[in-house]
């Protein structure tokens, strides 16, 4: 046994244990608005307590933890804590990566550890609706920055003729829409088009309707509680599925429903997490992030439904292509790639 390798591995364990506890600290910072408060300017722990109105002793330990992890900056000469411009953008700006909100999803799905442990014994599924509400809100916060960055500027323009159709006034079905961020973005960008978002999770649909009302697009987007196999409507110019196909128990049945709902010259935009078909090429930090989410959320949800596919969040392009072909689609291409996602253009 190589003791240097043992020490190196234990170093990784220490890093991971620290990250696990610190994830909870990030969520506390998000819920209490601590990052926004610190973005106002440098402060000692005492001054920060005066600024926020929270307990100084708790804040002191929180600030020290965040500084040790590189989420907060500490200046020994002044004993002040602060956020750099980059830290503030990522942690405190709701229009930025909003990573403090995204941590809510991780802490949320860890609440299901007892159910998942039992599922290992039984093989049973754990449905999306069975998770804590933090999962729904946190997942929306995790994915939304990527959708803001790429959906309208990159993914839709990469599709053959779709942007023009939507500009002139098209019909869009957004399947598995969750809290409706993608539906709202499309309604905002293409005011002449009409968007119908659907999700089987009633609570998410209710939140989506609130988001649409807050964005002032209620007349251009509507939401329904429906599965990917029974969403309403037909003759759609565009059907979209964002980071959801791999969560479905029977993605082929969903794909067949999409095909029947499309206009003759319609397009199905499928956005999935970026992944290689080869496992060894997914063994990196992003792959680790997605495999963890897949273990707690995606695979259990698909196993809770009829179908038995359980693709997982790192299914790879070949699996998505095979599903499209099984549903009768004849055209499939990788239209665009971003840091975390791949956008596929699929047509009849």
């Amino acid at each position: 046994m190589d003791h240097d390798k043992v020490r190196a591995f234990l170093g990784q364990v220490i890093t991971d244990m620290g990250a696990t506890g610190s994830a909870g600290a990030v969520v506390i910072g998000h819920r209490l608005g601590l990052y926004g408060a610190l973005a106002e300017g440098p402060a000692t722990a005492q001054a920060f307590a005066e600024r926020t109105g929270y307990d100084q002793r708790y804040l002191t330990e929180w600030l020290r933890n965040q500084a040790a992890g590189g989420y907060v900056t500490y200046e020994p000469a002044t004993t002040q804590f602060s956020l750099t411009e980059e830290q503030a953008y990522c942690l405190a700006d709701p229009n930025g990566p909003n990573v403090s909100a995204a941590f809510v999803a991780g802490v949320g799905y860890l609440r299901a550890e007892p159910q998942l442990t039992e599922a290992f014994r039984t093989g049973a599924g754990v449905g999306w609706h069975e998770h804590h509400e933090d999962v729904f809100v946190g997942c929306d916060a995790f994915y939304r920055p990527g959708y803001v960055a790429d959906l309208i500027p990159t993914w839709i323009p990469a599709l053959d003729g779709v942007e023009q159709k939507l500009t002139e006034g098209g019909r869009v079905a957004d399947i598995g829409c969750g809290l409706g961020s993608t539906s709202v973005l499309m309604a905002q960008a293409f005011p002449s088009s009409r968007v119908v978002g659907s999700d089987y999770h009633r609570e998410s649909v209710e939140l989506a309707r609130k988001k649409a009302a807050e964005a002032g697009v209620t007349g251009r987007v509507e939401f329904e509680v429906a599965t990917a196999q029974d969403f309403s409507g037909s003759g759609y110019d565009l059907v979209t599925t964002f980071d959801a196909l791999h969560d479905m128990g029977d993605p082929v049945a969903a794909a067949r429903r999409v095909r029947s709902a499309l206009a003759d010259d319609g397009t199905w935009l499928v956005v999935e997490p970026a992944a290689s078909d080869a496992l060894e090429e997914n063994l990196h930090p992003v792959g680790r992030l997605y495999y963890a989410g897949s273990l707690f959320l995606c695979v259990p949800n698909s196993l809770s439904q009829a179908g038995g596919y359980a693709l997982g969040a790192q299914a790879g392009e070949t699996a998505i292509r095979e599903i499209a072909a099984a549903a009768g689609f004849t055209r499939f291409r990788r239209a665009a790639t971003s840091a975390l996602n791949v956008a596929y253009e699929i047509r009849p």
Side-chain angles (χ1 to χ4, degrees), residues 134-155:
D134 283 351
V135 167
F136 321 132
V137 176
C139 281
D140 181 73
F142 175 79
Y143 284 110
R144 187 178 182 278
Y147 298 152
V148 170
D150 291 303
L151 173 54
I152 304 304
T154 304
W155 295 339

Side-chain angles (χ1 to χ4, degrees), residues 53-331:
Y54 297 125
D55 183 83
Q56 180 179 337
R57 187 63 191 89
Y58 279 111
L59 287 174
T60 299
E61 214 68 1
W62 183 85
L63 287 164
R64 290 171 177 175
N65 165 270
Q66 296 292 283
Y71 281 49
V72 164
T73 301
Y74 176 66
E75 176 50 61
T78 62
T79 70
Q80 289 184 319
F81 298 87
S82 63
L83 292 178
T84 65
E85 182 180 1
E86 295 77 15
Q87 289 169 331
Y89 171 66
C90 291
L91 292 163
D93 187 344
N95 295 317
N98 203 18
V99 295
S100 61
F103 270 85
V104 173
V107 172
Y109 70 58
L110 287 175
R111 294 173 186 261
E113 175 272 319
Q115 297 98 299
L116 189 63
T117 299
E118 183 61 22
F120 269 70
R121 297 187 176 99
T122 66
V126 180
W128 183 258
H129 61 282
E130 298 180 66
H131 284 277
H132 191 275
E133 63 181 10
D134 283 351
V135 167
F136 321 132
V137 176
C139 281
D140 181 73
F142 175 79
Y143 284 110
R144 187 178 182 278
Y147 298 152
V148 170
D150 291 303
L151 173 54
I152 304 304
T154 304
W155 295 339
I156 288 181
L159 305 176
D160 186 20
V162 170
E163 186 173 29
Q164 182 177 350
K165 287 181 183 178
L166 299 187
T167 300
E168 294 173 352
R171 299 183 68 238
V172 181
D174 190 11
I175 311 305
C177 67
L179 271 63
S181 288
T182 48
S183 303
V184 169
L185 285 171
M186 289 186 286
Q188 289 174 321
F190 304 105
S192 297
S193 290
R194 294 296 177 267
V195 181
V196 179
S198 61
D199 199 286
Y200 96 89
H201 186 237
R202 184 175 299 276
E203 289 78 6
S204 290
V205 169
E206 290 171 355
L207 291 173
R209 288 170 178 154
K210 291 179 181 178
K211 278 181 172 283
E214 291 169 358
V217 294
T218 302
R220 286 178 261 160
V221 61
E222 61 182 271
F223 296 96
E224 64 175 356
V225 178
T227 71
Q229 291 81 28
D230 64 10
F231 65 91
S232 65
S234 60
Y236 289 109
D237 299 293
L238 176 67
V239 174
T240 59
T241 310
F242 297 100
D243 291 294
L245 189 69
H246 65 266
D247 294 287
M248 300 176 188
D250 194 345
V252 172
R256 289 188 180 120
R257 171 64 190 123
V258 170
R259 193 178 188 286
S260 70
L262 281 172
D264 291 340
D265 61 345
T267 300
W268 185 21
L269 170 61
V270 173
V271 173
E272 283 285 297
S276 170
D277 293 329
L279 170 60
E280 60 272 20
E281 295 179 5
N282 297 329
L283 302 182
H284 46 65
V286 174
R288 188 188 191 197
L289 172 70
Y290 275 129
Y291 281 126
S294 186
L295 172 64
F296 276 87
L297 298 173
C298 310
V299 168
N301 183 65
S302 59
L303 290 175
S304 74
Q305 303 170 1
Y309 272 80
L311 291 175
Q314 296 282 270
E317 181 173 327
T318 297
I320 307 304
R321 184 184 294 271
E322 289 175 350
I323 286 168
F329 287 94
T330 62
R331 289 173 285 178

